[in-house]
Amino acid sequence: VETRHMLETNAAFWAALRAEPENLAAIEATLQGMAANLTNPDEFQEFDANFHFEIARAAQNKMLYRLINVIRGQIQTWIGERLTLAPDQAQSFAHTSLAQHRQIFAAIQAGDSDAARAAMDHHIQTATADLRRITK
């Protein structure tokens, strides 16, 4: 979680400064996929993970993108566990996650690097707290 936090908050920061129009379109497409699959955990998970990878791509830093891809499996497992270990809370988690992803994207789209980093920090902290609570 600490490694993911370090990598992804910085990816959001740099994406806000460097994202090209095609990066913004790709990130937005993942949000649309998440919104369309709020009741389908498997599909939602795929779009959720791709959101994070598109931000890494938008940072325009090949090494950062590669490092985030190294932990891709852990990210996907983490997202999946959050949605499947507490099926009664999956809808709530999905809605919260989508709202937080939209905040991250808005900051990136606005070019506000500090807000993008803060929004990603909040998202990772919230998701981590949820996962720790349901795996106790």
Side-chain angles (χ1 to χ4, degrees), residues 12-79:
F13 177 89
W14 290 111
L17 298 175
R18 298 177 177 161
E20 299 290 334
E22 61 270 14
N23 299 124
L24 296 174
I27 296 167
E28 189 168 26
T30 65
L31 290 173
Q32 292 168 354
M34 289 172 69
N37 287 285
L38 287 166
T39 59
N40 183 343
D42 291 335
E43 289 296 317
F44 184 90
Q45 172 188 349
E46 188 68 26
F47 283 106
D48 188 332
N50 286 335
F51 172 86
H52 293 274
F53 303 128
E54 290 301 335
I55 288 175
R57 190 184 323 273
Q60 311 298 334
N61 180 313
K62 289 180 183 180
M63 184 58 71
L64 180 58
Y65 180 74
R66 287 181 186 144
L67 289 170
I68 288 174
N69 268 293
V70 165
I71 63 170
R72 183 181 186 108
Q74 288 88 355
I75 292 171
Q76 289 176 306
T77 298
W78 192 54
I79 294 167

Side-chain angles (χ1 to χ4, degrees), residues 1 77-89 93 126-136:
V1 171
T77 298
W78 192 54
I79 294 167
E81 286 180 350
R82 186 169 174 241
L83 294 174
T84 59
L85 290 178
D88 57 320
Q89 296 177 58
F93 288 159
T126 300
T128 300
D130 290 345
L131 190 55
R132 286 185 175 143
R133 188 176 61 256
I134 62 177
T135 57
K136 284 186 175 182

